[in-house]
């Protein structure tokens, strides 16, 4: 049986079996990672997994799970995050508006810049 050595930030070096390691391969390679539950402190430990780490773990018998980031998460965002006042303003406008669709049509839609 293959033994995988990894490092827990609390416990140091730990030995794992292939069944104890979860390999998550993302469509955006920088977001791929592997994870395991530490035998010592029982915390979940996540570490980035570049192409070499993915290849090494898979060669050792770790099963990979593919996942993708939704397109919305990769879109360019402009402006600051919404805050409490923005939510309150929105709620007050909803209260005054009989027709949400007409309110939405009145707002200008800002399109994302071309990449």
């Amino acid at each position: 049986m293959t033994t995988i050595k990894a490092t827990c930030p609390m416990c140091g070096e730990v030995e794992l079996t292939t069944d104890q390691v979860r390999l998550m391969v993302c469509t955006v390679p920088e977001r791929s990672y592997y994870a395991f539950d530490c035998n010592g402190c029982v915390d979940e430990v996540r570490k980035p997994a570049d192409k070499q780490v993915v290849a090494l773990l898979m060669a050792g018998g770790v099963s990979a799970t593919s996942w993708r980031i939704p397109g919305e998460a990769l879109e360019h965002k402009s402006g600051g995050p919404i805050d409490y006042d923005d939510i309150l303003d929105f709620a007050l406008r909803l209260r005054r508006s009989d027709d949400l669709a007409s309110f939405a049509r009145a707002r200008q839609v800002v399109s994302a810049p071309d990449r």
Side-chain angles (χ1 to χ4, degrees), residues 4-46:
I4 299 169
K5 291 186 180 184
T7 306
C8 170
M10 296 295 288
C11 302
E13 190 172 287
V14 294
E15 290 188 2
L16 307 163
T17 65
T18 56
D19 292 338
Q20 292 174 304
V21 179
R22 296 176 299 282
L23 177 60
M24 305 299 291
V25 179
C26 185
T27 54
V28 178
E30 301 83 38
R31 301 292 177 101
S32 295
Y33 66 92
Y34 68 96
F36 60 92
D37 296 325
C38 177
N39 296 328
C41 64
V42 196
D43 281 345
E44 180 187 52
V45 179
R46 284 188 182 193

Side-chain angles (χ1 to χ4, degrees), residues 21 29 44-46 48 53 61-62 65-66 68 70 74 78 85 97:
V21 179
E44 180 187 52
V45 179
R46 284 188 182 193
V53 171
V62 176
T65 301
S66 297
R68 71 175 194 82
L74 300 173
S78 61
D85 289 334
S97 176

Side-chain angles (χ1 to χ4, degrees), residues 8 21 40 43 61 72 84 95-96 98 100-101 108 111 114:
C8 170
V21 179
D43 281 345
E72 296 83 5
Y84 179 80
R95 222 177 192 179
R96 290 190 307 237
D98 290 335
L100 181 59
Q108 279 189 322
S111 60
D114 293 334

Side-chain angles (χ1 to χ4, degrees), residues 80-108:
I82 63 171
D83 59 16
Y84 179 80
D85 289 334
D86 295 327
I87 295 170
L88 182 58
D89 289 342
F90 180 69
L92 292 172
R93 284 192 177 160
L94 283 177
R95 222 177 192 179
R96 290 190 307 237
S97 176
D98 290 335
D99 184 7
L100 181 59
S102 64
F103 174 72
R105 281 192 296 272
R107 303 284 297 173
Q108 279 189 322

